[in-house]
Structures are given as C-alpha cells and as structure tokens.
Amino acid sequence: MARSRCARSWNWDSPLTAVADPVAAALNEVVQGSRGRLLAALIANLRDFQLAEDSMQDALASALVHWRRSGIPANPSGWLLKTARRKAIDRLRRSQNFNSKSVQYSLMLKLDQADAEDESRQEIPDERLRLIFTCCHPALDPKTRIALTLRTLGGLTTAEIARAFLDREAAMAQRLVRARHKIVKSGVPFRVPDADDWDERLNSVLSVIYLIFNEGYAATRGDRQIRVDLCEEAIFLARLMNRLRPEQPEVEGLLALMLMIHARRRARSTASGAMVPIEMQDREVWDRPMIMQGIKLIETALQRAPLGPYQLQAAIQAVHSEAQNFDATRWDEILGLYDLLVQFDGTAIVKLNRCVALSYVDGPEAALRASRELSGELAEYQPYHAAQAAFYHRAKHYPEAVHSYDRAIELCDNRSAVAFLDEKRRGAKKEAEQMLGL
C-alpha cells in the first residue's frame, strides 16, 4: 500500500519528506538539488513547458518503482533525465496531433539512441540561463515572465508564487497556463539574447533571480526557514550573469546583495531549526569571506553608473554586515538608503522595510504611523503583520501586539516562523496580563 501511494502522490510541489523511505529521500534530494537543470534540459529538447513537466513527473513516479526494485542508480539525476526523455517519446507517440510534433519526436529518439550507445554520459547540459531568458521574453508581460520562471526553474509552487505577488492562486494558475501556450504558439526562441536585446530583458531576469533567492531565504512553506538549494541556485545564476555581462552595476549589486544575506545563513536558525532574528544572531558564525566578497562587489558597483535598486539594497546589507553587533548598526544610514530606494521602487513592501529602519531611528510609534498607510495594500501579506506586531511590542502596546501576532501566525505556512512568532506572542500576552494585573 505504501509503495503505490508514494508512486501516485509524488509531485514537484509536494516532495515526500514525510515518508521514512531511503528511496523517497534520495529522490527528494535529487529534486531539490537538480530540479532546475533537469527541467531546463528537457525544455531545451522539447520546446514545450507542459510536456516537459508532465514527462518529468512520469519519470519521478517511475523512479519510485524502479529504484526500490533495482537500487538507486549511480547517477540519479542522469537516470531521471534519460527516463523523462523516454516518457516524452511515449507521450509524443500517443499524441492526437502527432504529425505536428514529428520534429520533437525525431530529436528525442536521437537523444535516446545516443544515451543507449554511450551509457557513460553523466553530465546534464546546463540550460538554465537560456530558460530564464526564454521565460523573460518580451512577448510575455513582466509579471508573467517572473511567475513562469519561478515556477519552472525555481521550483516554487503556484501557491507560493501567488503569495509573492499577493494574487489568488487560481488566477496565477491561469496566468501560467496561458504563458506556456503563448511561448509555444509564438515560437519564442530558446536562447540567450544578443547584446542589442539584453537591456530590454535584464530587469526581468534579475527580478526572477532575486525572487528565487527570497523564497530560499525565507521559505513560505515547510519545516525549514531557509532553503539553501534555492539560495545557491540564485547565486549561481547571478554569477553566470556577471560573467556574461561583466561590469554591469545592477548585476554586481544583486550578486553582492545575495552573498551578504546568504553569509548569515548558519546564524539564522538553531540546531533544532528554530528561527533566530538578526538582533540575536551570533555574528561570529557569519561567513566573513562571503561578506567581504559582497562588500567588494558593491563598492565596485557603486562607482559605476547608473545607480539602481539592487545596488542600494546591497549597500543596506553592507551596513548590517559591517556592524560588530546589532546595537552598533548605523540605522540612520540605512534609513537614508531606504529613502533613496523608495525613489526607484516605491512598492508597499519596500516601504514596509523602510518602516523597520524608521523604528530604530525615530522609535516604534513613528514606524506604526508610517506602516498603517500600507495596511490596505498589505492586508494579506504575512510579514506586514509580523512587523506590526514587533512595532506594537516594542511600543508596549501589548494587546495590539498579540492581535498582530495572531494575524501573522494565521497567514504563515512555515513551521519555523510560526514557532518564533508564537513564542513572541506568548511574551506579549504575558506582559499584557501583567500590565492589567491579571
């Protein structure tokens, strides 16, 4: 029973983390480590996003059966790619419009024959950057470009992407379906653009990379606060962009920003996975070489023109990184950088982050006044309510803090973050009771 249930229920969106099964665990590890490369390689062959996802899904279900029977292969990701290609051949052969897919079918047969003739082939071709630029083609609107890349390359679920955009899940699902069809029908090329077209698509690509990193830095779902695989995927892609486009200040700024944030990963949770906020982190375990690399990059980027939002965000992280402890943080400098950043990116989320800096310069009451203006736009945004709770807590408005903690917990799907917020809520509730003499 357990085996058949696992085989049927495997999904990119729902890895079998709860199953005490070494095969499922090995498959989880491959999916988390190689998902982007596997799917990008398959899409490069098929030029069909949905067919690639369906074929890889078939291969995953097949792996659960075959790996239990024959053992985990020496090269699990290579096995999955080869099997997914064969599943694609089966799907193409059964397709009602087979004649229109004959070119894809012939290519997949040739690849399968090459795999059979050379069993030693181990490497998965890295097509991730070409996939990003395909997803970010001007034929798609900017929001769709980012959403499609997050879904296809970053491995985020439709629900996670909808949450990042503050959208309904059903609306985001429809957007993704339309995007896949449009790429196929419009004949969007699967390639890195020429120099003349680079600037037009650079901002979308950088946005995608940063959103992948953000989901890794603060996972919206699951037991872990941090998904290191997504953080490192984003950093890899930014390094690749930096090699392709050297001396581009916003590329350097984004890479610097992610390096300095990722350098704190070991201090951001306890051994049991509990969340540790920056004010309580042990800065001795921050990755100082990575921080210095990021600082050097942003210092170089800021000397170039033009100035951009990723450079400003990296400069903010540099101020955090250079502080010997939390109390030594130069919050007035951070607030000034946020004032500049709002001129480039006036979104409610950036303004909320500015409110956090404001709370350490002018106090939590000032932050509460400023953040209330964002309540309508961020009503369903969990970090907004977490920030409000912290402002109320520091301002000693304990009942309001408890209410905001409740709302933040209600909107949170990450167990580590929920545990942290719940502990803070209990503290605020205890202080409220003491204040009332209960």
Side-chain angles (χ1 to χ4, degrees), residues 264 276-284 286 288 319-332 334 356-357 359-361 390 394:
R264 302 198 292 267
V276 181
I278 190 170
E279 61 267 28
M280 298 175 63
Q281 288 176 15
D282 179 1
R283 301 191 177 208
E284 293 298 317
W286 285 7
R288 288 295 167 184
V319 177
H320 281 297
S321 299
E322 290 171 341
Q324 293 299 308
N325 53 60
F326 185 76
D327 292 337
T329 305
R330 302 190 304 276
W331 286 105
D332 55 342
I334 290 175
V356 175
S359 74
Y360 290 105
V361 176
R394 287 169 51 208

mmCIF file of all heavy atoms in Angstrom, residues 264 276-284 286 288 319-332 334 356-357 359-361 390 394:
data_model
loop_
_atom_site.group_PDB
_atom_site.id
_atom_site.type_symbol
_atom_site.label_atom_id
_atom_site.label_comp_id
_atom_site.label_asym_id
_atom_site.label_seq_id
_atom_site.Cartn_x
_atom_site.Cartn_y
_atom_site.Cartn_z
ATOM 1 N N ARG A 264 24.829 34.936 6.298
ATOM 2 C CA ARG A 264 24.302 34.829 7.662
ATOM 3 C C ARG A 264 23.506 33.546 7.887
ATOM 4 O O ARG A 264 22.911 33.362 8.958
ATOM 5 C CB ARG A 264 23.400 36.039 7.960
ATOM 6 C CG ARG A 264 24.104 37.372 7.819
ATOM 7 C CD ARG A 264 23.352 38.483 8.537
ATOM 8 N NE ARG A 264 22.082 38.818 7.930
ATOM 9 C CZ ARG A 264 21.898 39.781 7.026
ATOM 10 N NH1 ARG A 264 22.940 40.493 6.619
ATOM 11 N NH2 ARG A 264 20.704 40.032 6.553
ATOM 12 N N VAL A 276 16.170 32.465 14.361
ATOM 13 C CA VAL A 276 16.929 33.411 15.182
ATOM 14 C C VAL A 276 16.943 34.755 14.463
ATOM 15 O O VAL A 276 17.527 34.870 13.382
ATOM 16 C CB VAL A 276 18.379 32.929 15.423
ATOM 17 C CG1 VAL A 276 19.125 33.936 16.307
ATOM 18 C CG2 VAL A 276 18.393 31.544 16.052
ATOM 19 N N PRO A 277 16.303 35.802 15.017
ATOM 20 C CA PRO A 277 16.302 37.107 14.349
ATOM 21 C C PRO A 277 17.683 37.744 14.367
ATOM 22 O O PRO A 277 18.547 37.364 15.173
ATOM 23 C CB PRO A 277 15.308 37.922 15.181
ATOM 24 C CG PRO A 277 15.338 37.291 16.536
ATOM 25 C CD PRO A 277 15.582 35.823 16.297
ATOM 26 N N ILE A 278 17.908 38.722 13.513
ATOM 27 C CA ILE A 278 19.242 39.289 13.343
ATOM 28 C C ILE A 278 19.776 39.900 14.629
ATOM 29 O O ILE A 278 20.981 39.849 14.899
ATOM 30 C CB ILE A 278 19.259 40.330 12.194
ATOM 31 C CG1 ILE A 278 20.704 40.737 11.869
ATOM 32 C CG2 ILE A 278 18.377 41.524 12.512
ATOM 33 C CD1 ILE A 278 20.823 41.565 10.604
ATOM 34 N N GLU A 279 18.892 40.454 15.466
ATOM 35 C CA GLU A 279 19.379 41.079 16.699
ATOM 36 C C GLU A 279 19.922 40.074 17.703
ATOM 37 O O GLU A 279 20.644 40.438 18.634
ATOM 38 C CB GLU A 279 18.277 41.915 17.355
ATOM 39 C CG GLU A 279 17.042 41.158 17.771
ATOM 40 C CD GLU A 279 15.959 41.170 16.699
ATOM 41 O OE1 GLU A 279 16.302 41.271 15.496
ATOM 42 O OE2 GLU A 279 14.776 41.073 17.071
ATOM 43 N N MET A 280 19.602 38.782 17.514
ATOM 44 C CA MET A 280 20.061 37.743 18.437
ATOM 45 C C MET A 280 21.085 36.800 17.804
ATOM 46 O O MET A 280 21.512 35.844 18.440
ATOM 47 C CB MET A 280 18.859 36.933 18.936
ATOM 48 C CG MET A 280 17.843 37.753 19.718
ATOM 49 S SD MET A 280 16.371 36.788 20.168
ATOM 50 C CE MET A 280 17.097 35.548 21.231
ATOM 51 N N GLN A 281 21.476 37.061 16.590
ATOM 52 C CA GLN A 281 22.383 36.144 15.889
ATOM 53 C C GLN A 281 23.813 36.251 16.403
ATOM 54 O O GLN A 281 24.278 37.333 16.765
ATOM 55 C CB GLN A 281 22.346 36.431 14.383
ATOM 56 C CG GLN A 281 21.062 35.986 13.717
ATOM 57 C CD GLN A 281 20.995 36.359 12.254
ATOM 58 O OE1 GLN A 281 22.006 36.712 11.642
ATOM 59 N NE2 GLN A 281 19.803 36.283 11.668
ATOM 60 N N ASP A 282 24.491 35.114 16.398
ATOM 61 C CA ASP A 282 25.909 35.063 16.736
ATOM 62 C C ASP A 282 26.706 35.447 15.491
ATOM 63 O O ASP A 282 26.865 34.645 14.566
ATOM 64 C CB ASP A 282 26.280 33.648 17.198
ATOM 65 C CG ASP A 282 27.765 33.509 17.550
ATOM 66 O OD1 ASP A 282 28.503 34.521 17.457
ATOM 67 O OD2 ASP A 282 28.175 32.388 17.910
ATOM 68 N N ARG A 283 27.226 36.645 15.470
ATOM 69 C CA ARG A 283 27.898 37.143 14.270
ATOM 70 C C ARG A 283 29.250 36.483 14.034
ATOM 71 O O ARG A 283 29.834 36.637 12.961
ATOM 72 C CB ARG A 283 28.023 38.673 14.343
ATOM 73 C CG ARG A 283 26.652 39.324 14.459
ATOM 74 C CD ARG A 283 26.640 40.813 14.277
ATOM 75 N NE ARG A 283 25.233 41.272 14.350
ATOM 76 C CZ ARG A 283 24.755 42.338 13.749
ATOM 77 N NH1 ARG A 283 25.568 43.112 13.033
ATOM 78 N NH2 ARG A 283 23.480 42.667 13.854
ATOM 79 N N GLU A 284 29.702 35.727 15.016
ATOM 80 C CA GLU A 284 30.962 35.000 14.834
ATOM 81 C C GLU A 284 30.814 33.879 13.814
ATOM 82 O O GLU A 284 31.812 33.436 13.227
ATOM 83 C CB GLU A 284 31.435 34.422 16.173
ATOM 84 C CG GLU A 284 31.850 35.458 17.198
ATOM 85 C CD GLU A 284 33.031 36.288 16.723
ATOM 86 O OE1 GLU A 284 33.984 35.695 16.149
ATOM 87 O OE2 GLU A 284 33.019 37.518 16.907
ATOM 88 N N TRP A 286 28.851 34.127 11.122
ATOM 89 C CA TRP A 286 28.622 34.668 9.781
ATOM 90 C C TRP A 286 29.809 34.334 8.891
ATOM 91 O O TRP A 286 30.963 34.299 9.352
ATOM 92 C CB TRP A 286 28.448 36.190 9.839
ATOM 93 C CG TRP A 286 27.117 36.641 10.382
ATOM 94 C CD1 TRP A 286 26.139 35.869 10.937
ATOM 95 C CD2 TRP A 286 26.640 38.000 10.440
ATOM 96 N NE1 TRP A 286 25.080 36.646 11.333
ATOM 97 C CE2 TRP A 286 25.345 37.964 11.038
ATOM 98 C CE3 TRP A 286 27.165 39.232 10.051
ATOM 99 C CZ2 TRP A 286 24.588 39.110 11.251
ATOM 100 C CZ3 TRP A 286 26.408 40.375 10.256
ATOM 101 C CH2 TRP A 286 25.132 40.312 10.852
ATOM 102 N N ARG A 288 32.390 35.344 6.925
ATOM 103 C CA ARG A 288 33.081 36.617 6.666
ATOM 104 C C ARG A 288 33.708 36.699 5.276
ATOM 105 O O ARG A 288 33.644 37.754 4.643
ATOM 106 C CB ARG A 288 34.136 36.870 7.748
ATOM 107 C CG ARG A 288 33.539 37.242 9.099
ATOM 108 C CD ARG A 288 32.811 38.575 9.033
ATOM 109 N NE ARG A 288 31.968 38.813 10.211
ATOM 110 C CZ ARG A 288 31.183 39.868 10.351
ATOM 111 N NH1 ARG A 288 31.128 40.778 9.379
ATOM 112 N NH2 ARG A 288 30.439 40.009 11.431
ATOM 113 N N VAL A 319 25.886 47.746 5.377
ATOM 114 C CA VAL A 319 25.838 48.420 6.679
ATOM 115 C C VAL A 319 25.551 47.412 7.784
ATOM 116 O O VAL A 319 26.201 47.421 8.840
ATOM 117 C CB VAL A 319 24.783 49.546 6.675
ATOM 118 C CG1 VAL A 319 24.684 50.192 8.065
ATOM 119 C CG2 VAL A 319 25.117 50.608 5.633
ATOM 120 N N HIS A 320 24.591 46.521 7.555
ATOM 121 C CA HIS A 320 24.313 45.458 8.537
ATOM 122 C C HIS A 320 25.549 44.582 8.756
ATOM 123 O O HIS A 320 25.886 44.221 9.886
ATOM 124 C CB HIS A 320 23.161 44.575 8.045
ATOM 125 C CG HIS A 320 21.804 45.161 8.254
ATOM 126 N ND1 HIS A 320 21.286 45.426 9.501
ATOM 127 C CD2 HIS A 320 20.837 45.533 7.363
ATOM 128 C CE1 HIS A 320 20.064 45.924 9.383
ATOM 129 N NE2 HIS A 320 19.766 46.002 8.094
ATOM 130 N N SER A 321 26.210 44.225 7.666
ATOM 131 C CA SER A 321 27.329 43.283 7.735
ATOM 132 C C SER A 321 28.533 43.862 8.448
ATOM 133 O O SER A 321 29.309 43.129 9.075
ATOM 134 C CB SER A 321 27.730 42.851 6.317
ATOM 135 O OG SER A 321 26.664 42.193 5.665
ATOM 136 N N GLU A 322 28.717 45.165 8.367
ATOM 137 C CA GLU A 322 29.890 45.810 8.967
ATOM 138 C C GLU A 322 29.712 46.099 10.448
ATOM 139 O O GLU A 322 30.698 46.343 11.150
ATOM 140 C CB GLU A 322 30.199 47.108 8.217
ATOM 141 C CG GLU A 322 30.725 46.868 6.804
ATOM 142 C CD GLU A 322 30.841 48.123 5.974
ATOM 143 O OE1 GLU A 322 30.186 49.137 6.336
ATOM 144 O OE2 GLU A 322 31.571 48.115 4.978
ATOM 145 N N ALA A 323 28.477 46.053 10.949
ATOM 146 C CA ALA A 323 28.239 46.319 12.368
ATOM 147 C C ALA A 323 28.778 45.175 13.220
ATOM 148 O O ALA A 323 28.513 44.012 12.950
ATOM 149 C CB ALA A 323 26.748 46.499 12.615
ATOM 150 N N GLN A 324 29.516 45.516 14.261
ATOM 151 C CA GLN A 324 30.095 44.491 15.136
ATOM 152 C C GLN A 324 29.017 43.758 15.929
ATOM 153 O O GLN A 324 29.160 42.594 16.257
ATOM 154 C CB GLN A 324 31.094 45.131 16.101
ATOM 155 C CG GLN A 324 32.338 45.676 15.418
ATOM 156 C CD GLN A 324 33.117 44.582 14.695
ATOM 157 O OE1 GLN A 324 33.437 43.542 15.283
ATOM 158 N NE2 GLN A 324 33.408 44.801 13.421
ATOM 159 N N ASN A 325 27.939 44.457 16.238
ATOM 160 C CA ASN A 325 26.792 43.848 16.903
ATOM 161 C C ASN A 325 25.549 44.636 16.509
ATOM 162 O O ASN A 325 25.639 45.684 15.854
ATOM 163 C CB ASN A 325 26.975 43.803 18.431
ATOM 164 C CG ASN A 325 27.325 45.165 19.000
ATOM 165 O OD1 ASN A 325 26.560 46.119 18.870
ATOM 166 N ND2 ASN A 325 28.501 45.275 19.613
ATOM 167 N N PHE A 326 24.394 44.139 16.932
ATOM 168 C CA PHE A 326 23.143 44.763 16.486
ATOM 169 C C PHE A 326 23.035 46.210 16.963
ATOM 170 O O PHE A 326 22.588 47.089 16.213
ATOM 171 C CB PHE A 326 21.952 43.953 17.003
ATOM 172 C CG PHE A 326 20.625 44.446 16.487
ATOM 173 C CD1 PHE A 326 20.223 44.171 15.192
ATOM 174 C CD2 PHE A 326 19.784 45.188 17.312
ATOM 175 C CE1 PHE A 326 18.996 44.633 14.711
ATOM 176 C CE2 PHE A 326 18.560 45.648 16.839
ATOM 177 C CZ PHE A 326 18.167 45.374 15.535
ATOM 178 N N ASP A 327 23.450 46.467 18.213
ATOM 179 C CA ASP A 327 23.347 47.822 18.761
ATOM 180 C C ASP A 327 24.231 48.815 18.023
ATOM 181 O O ASP A 327 23.984 50.024 18.076
ATOM 182 C CB ASP A 327 23.709 47.817 20.246
ATOM 183 C CG ASP A 327 22.679 47.075 21.088
ATOM 184 O OD1 ASP A 327 21.521 46.952 20.629
ATOM 185 O OD2 ASP A 327 23.028 46.606 22.190
ATOM 186 N N ALA A 328 25.269 48.312 17.344
ATOM 187 C CA ALA A 328 26.187 49.196 16.623
ATOM 188 C C ALA A 328 25.721 49.488 15.202
ATOM 189 O O ALA A 328 26.398 50.203 14.456
ATOM 190 C CB ALA A 328 27.590 48.580 16.591
ATOM 191 N N THR A 329 24.551 48.964 14.808
ATOM 192 C CA THR A 329 24.037 49.176 13.447
ATOM 193 C C THR A 329 23.763 50.652 13.205
ATOM 194 O O THR A 329 23.133 51.323 14.032
ATOM 195 C CB THR A 329 22.739 48.375 13.235
ATOM 196 O OG1 THR A 329 22.981 46.994 13.534
ATOM 197 C CG2 THR A 329 22.264 48.490 11.790
ATOM 198 N N ARG A 330 24.217 51.163 12.077
ATOM 199 C CA ARG A 330 24.021 52.576 11.729
ATOM 200 C C ARG A 330 22.658 52.738 11.050
ATOM 201 O O ARG A 330 22.554 52.841 9.822
ATOM 202 C CB ARG A 330 25.161 53.060 10.837
ATOM 203 C CG ARG A 330 26.542 52.903 11.456
ATOM 204 C CD ARG A 330 27.628 53.611 10.659
ATOM 205 N NE ARG A 330 27.683 53.186 9.272
ATOM 206 C CZ ARG A 330 28.329 52.109 8.823
ATOM 207 N NH1 ARG A 330 28.968 51.320 9.680
ATOM 208 N NH2 ARG A 330 28.332 51.803 7.534
ATOM 209 N N TRP A 331 21.608 52.771 11.871
ATOM 210 C CA TRP A 331 20.247 52.791 11.341
ATOM 211 C C TRP A 331 19.929 54.076 10.587
ATOM 212 O O TRP A 331 19.138 54.064 9.649
ATOM 213 C CB TRP A 331 19.242 52.569 12.466
ATOM 214 C CG TRP A 331 19.205 51.149 12.940
ATOM 215 C CD1 TRP A 331 19.722 50.646 14.091
ATOM 216 C CD2 TRP A 331 18.642 50.034 12.238
ATOM 217 N NE1 TRP A 331 19.514 49.293 14.161
ATOM 218 C CE2 TRP A 331 18.849 48.888 13.036
ATOM 219 C CE3 TRP A 331 17.984 49.889 11.020
ATOM 220 C CZ2 TRP A 331 18.424 47.621 12.662
ATOM 221 C CZ3 TRP A 331 17.549 48.632 10.625
ATOM 222 C CH2 TRP A 331 17.768 47.513 11.441
ATOM 223 N N ASP A 332 20.527 55.188 10.986
ATOM 224 C CA ASP A 332 20.269 56.429 10.250
ATOM 225 C C ASP A 332 20.776 56.329 8.816
ATOM 226 O O ASP A 332 20.131 56.818 7.870
ATOM 227 C CB ASP A 332 20.904 57.620 10.970
ATOM 228 C CG ASP A 332 22.401 57.430 11.224
ATOM 229 O OD1 ASP A 332 22.885 56.276 11.172
ATOM 230 O OD2 ASP A 332 23.081 58.446 11.476
ATOM 231 N N ILE A 334 21.038 53.463 7.133
ATOM 232 C CA ILE A 334 20.132 52.533 6.473
ATOM 233 C C ILE A 334 18.845 53.244 6.068
ATOM 234 O O ILE A 334 18.341 53.054 4.951
ATOM 235 C CB ILE A 334 19.840 51.325 7.390
ATOM 236 C CG1 ILE A 334 21.093 50.446 7.522
ATOM 237 C CG2 ILE A 334 18.662 50.494 6.853
ATOM 238 C CD1 ILE A 334 20.948 49.292 8.491
ATOM 239 N N VAL A 356 10.791 49.522 9.190
ATOM 240 C CA VAL A 356 11.624 48.819 10.180
ATOM 241 C C VAL A 356 12.835 49.685 10.537
ATOM 242 O O VAL A 356 13.163 49.864 11.723
ATOM 243 C CB VAL A 356 12.071 47.453 9.644
ATOM 244 C CG1 VAL A 356 13.040 46.788 10.616
ATOM 245 C CG2 VAL A 356 10.864 46.553 9.394
ATOM 246 N N ALA A 357 13.500 50.241 9.513
ATOM 247 C CA ALA A 357 14.633 51.127 9.784
ATOM 248 C C ALA A 357 14.176 52.357 10.559
ATOM 249 O O ALA A 357 14.840 52.795 11.509
ATOM 250 C CB ALA A 357 15.296 51.528 8.469
ATOM 251 N N SER A 359 11.823 52.582 12.667
ATOM 252 C CA SER A 359 11.523 52.235 14.060
ATOM 253 C C SER A 359 12.757 52.303 14.947
ATOM 254 O O SER A 359 12.641 52.526 16.157
ATOM 255 C CB SER A 359 10.907 50.830 14.135
ATOM 256 O OG SER A 359 11.880 49.810 13.931
ATOM 257 N N TYR A 360 13.952 52.123 14.350
ATOM 258 C CA TYR A 360 15.196 52.186 15.136
ATOM 259 C C TYR A 360 15.828 53.572 15.111
ATOM 260 O O TYR A 360 16.795 53.819 15.833
ATOM 261 C CB TYR A 360 16.191 51.142 14.628
ATOM 262 C CG TYR A 360 15.765 49.732 14.960
ATOM 263 C CD1 TYR A 360 15.235 48.898 13.985
ATOM 264 C CD2 TYR A 360 15.875 49.247 16.255
ATOM 265 C CE1 TYR A 360 14.828 47.611 14.297
ATOM 266 C CE2 TYR A 360 15.475 47.962 16.572
ATOM 267 C CZ TYR A 360 14.949 47.152 15.594
ATOM 268 O OH TYR A 360 14.539 45.868 15.901
ATOM 269 N N VAL A 361 15.289 54.456 14.293
ATOM 270 C CA VAL A 361 15.784 55.838 14.249
ATOM 271 C C VAL A 361 14.866 56.753 15.055
ATOM 272 O O VAL A 361 15.309 57.483 15.949
ATOM 273 C CB VAL A 361 15.897 56.341 12.793
ATOM 274 C CG1 VAL A 361 16.307 57.816 12.763
ATOM 275 C CG2 VAL A 361 16.903 55.496 12.016
ATOM 276 N N ALA A 390 5.799 43.445 15.972
ATOM 277 C CA ALA A 390 7.065 43.850 16.591
ATOM 278 C C ALA A 390 7.033 45.318 16.988
ATOM 279 O O ALA A 390 7.523 45.697 18.071
ATOM 280 C CB ALA A 390 8.212 43.587 15.626
ATOM 281 N N ARG A 394 7.373 46.527 20.889
ATOM 282 C CA ARG A 394 8.415 47.451 21.364
ATOM 283 C C ARG A 394 7.830 48.740 21.928
ATOM 284 O O ARG A 394 8.415 49.368 22.811
ATOM 285 C CB ARG A 394 9.388 47.759 20.224
ATOM 286 C CG ARG A 394 10.312 46.587 19.886
ATOM 287 C CD ARG A 394 11.078 46.821 18.603
ATOM 288 N NE ARG A 394 11.753 48.112 18.611
ATOM 289 C CZ ARG A 394 12.043 48.819 17.513
ATOM 290 N NH1 ARG A 394 11.693 48.331 16.328
ATOM 291 N NH2 ARG A 394 12.650 49.962 17.600
#
